[in-house]
Amino acid sequence: MKKLLYMICIAVLSVANCKEKEKSDDTTNFGLLAIAASLSSGITEIPFQIVAGSDTAPKCNKLIQGHSGSVMDTKHISESMNFYIKDARFYVHDVKLVKADGSTVDFTLTSDNKWQTSKVALLDFEDKTGDCTGTTETNTSIKGTAPAGSYVGVQFKVGVPFDLNHLNSTTADAPLNNSGMFWAWASGYIFMKFDWAAKEGAGTSNSFHLGSVGCNGSGTSVLTTSCTYPNRPTITIKTSGSVTWNPTANPVYFDIKALVSGTNSNLSSSGKAYTCMAGNNGGMSGTTAADCKILLNNVGVNETDGTSASVQSTFYLKP
């Protein structure tokens, strides 16, 4: 009798284990199908994330530590300075998704009357705390629509399209009504604003403001028709091995150490203050053309003519 009961128990447990395994397999398969369905139904949001080398959570009021030489992180890192973020915002437009064969399809922006119109979007990573001087609100993704398909990356231009760049910011629609991202009617908007503070020694306040320069026109009386240096880099970034890109799992990294790599704003270590906002031929307050060339090249701009360079180091997909 005991032997019979033992055999019944074994049979019951085996059935239960099989059902539990089937349930686990079903859960796994459902998850994979959900991911596949999500990607095949079309990408609707592209997240951007500010990083500082291996630090994936830099923010206002947090010290960004420079490269000590003993740190194993040798990718996208500055040389010798520690700094605090003061401002970190930029516009993007002409967004496209990249296929494995290199062709692209439009990612059409969806207007929200705040952060993006159908033609341009503003990304904002500072929250006005600590040394940051911008706005309290942040925006770290762009939203839109694209045909369903398999994509391996994204392409976008940093900046504001020419036909929207020479408007009156006081009457323009959001996000082009942001006075903190506007120079003047003729020169237009600040495409990218990255300001930082280094506090070693006497300390420095540093600025990199990217935008079109050498523009003709003088406002409403003489409209702008051209700029000597357009300064709108085209950024194309793809997955390693051209595997299908999942934007949620692999957001676009905006690496601020890569952006300032090659500069040194540490006064106690033979550094200087950087004020790169006057154009491609030089900066302000003693900042030279060679100083600003580093920053322009890092974000993908040829300093000689303001065209897009073939390489850049500031943006990449999360590995």
Side-chain angles (χ1 to χ4, degrees):
M1 185 63 181
K2 287 183 178 180
K3 185 176 181 180
L4 177 59
L5 290 173
Y6 176 78
M7 293 180 66
I8 291 173
C9 288
I10 292 295
V12 169
L13 289 173
S14 296
V15 170
N17 285 338
C18 286
K19 287 189 174 180
E20 189 61 31
K21 186 175 186 305
E22 287 174 359
K23 182 179 179 181
S24 176
D25 289 345
D26 287 346
T27 301
T28 301
N29 291 336
F30 180 78
L32 293 173
L33 288 172
I35 293 173
S38 173
L39 295 177
S40 64
S41 64
I43 293 172
T44 58
E45 183 171 8
I46 299 176
F48 284 67
Q49 182 176 341
I50 188 171
V51 301
S54 58
D55 182 354
T56 58
K59 59 183 179 180
C60 298
N61 208 27
K62 177 182 178 181
L63 180 65
I64 310 301
Q65 295 187 310
H67 183 193
S68 67
S70 61
V71 178
M72 294 304 293
D73 183 0
T74 58
K75 182 181 180 183
H76 305 300
I77 197 144
S78 58
E79 292 299 327
S80 62
M81 63 178 186
N82 304 319
F83 62 89
Y84 289 89
I85 299 170
K86 294 185 67 179
D87 208 332
R89 291 178 279 179
F90 58 87
Y91 287 103
V92 298
H93 68 283
D94 200 12
V95 184
K96 300 177 184 296
L97 300 178
V98 182
K99 295 184 177 181
D101 62 3
S103 61
T104 60
V105 301
D106 290 339
F107 180 80
T108 304
L109 296 174
T110 303
S111 177
D112 63 5
N113 299 315
K114 186 172 184 178
W115 294 109
Q116 59 183 61
T117 69
S118 61
K119 289 188 174 181
V120 63
L122 174 64
L123 291 154
D124 185 340
F125 301 93
E126 58 73 37
D127 59 7
K128 207 177 180 179
T129 60
D131 291 292
C132 289
T133 57
T135 58
T136 56
E137 291 185 286
T138 62
N139 181 49
T140 59
S141 71
I142 57 176
K143 300 175 181 62
T145 58
S150 178
Y151 303 103
V152 301
V154 62
Q155 181 182 91
F156 58 88
K157 293 179 181 176
V158 176
V160 175
F162 182 86
D163 63 334
L164 297 177
N165 193 36
H166 306 283
L167 305 175
N168 184 344
S169 67
T170 61
T171 59
D173 294 331
L176 296 177
N177 60 350
N178 192 321
S179 60
M181 295 295 287
F182 188 70
W183 272 330
W185 199 304
S187 47
Y189 289 87
I190 300 171
F191 297 163
M192 172 180 283
K193 177 184 281 188
F194 183 70
D195 298 338
W196 72 99
K199 298 187 177 180
E200 290 95 345
T204 59
S205 183
N206 308 270
S207 296
F208 174 61
H209 295 181
L210 179 70
S212 293
V213 293
C215 302
N216 63 3
S218 60
T220 54
S221 58
V222 182
L223 297 179
T224 299
T225 58
S226 65
C227 299
T228 305
Y229 303 99
N231 291 344
R232 294 183 185 84
T234 299
I235 310 297
T236 304
I237 45 180
K238 298 185 289 186
T239 59
S240 177
S242 293
V243 299
T244 299
W245 177 44
N246 181 348
T248 303
N250 303 100
V252 176
Y253 272 0
F254 168 50
D255 191 334
I256 55 177
K257 271 191 175 178
L259 177 60
V260 301
S261 181
T263 67
N264 179 13
S265 52
N266 180 353
L267 289 182
S268 64
S269 181
S270 303
K272 63 190 299 183
Y274 289 76
T275 310
C276 293
M277 59 173 69
N280 297 45
N281 292 323
M284 301 168 64
S285 303
T287 309
T288 68
D291 295 330
C292 298
K293 172 183 182 300
I294 296 170
L295 293 156
L296 288 167
N297 291 168
N298 286 346
V299 78
V301 172
N302 287 313
E303 78 284 358
T304 55
D305 56 9
T307 59
S308 184
S310 59
V311 296
Q312 59 82 31
S313 56
T314 301
F315 296 96
Y316 53 97
L317 297 180
K318 177 185 176 182

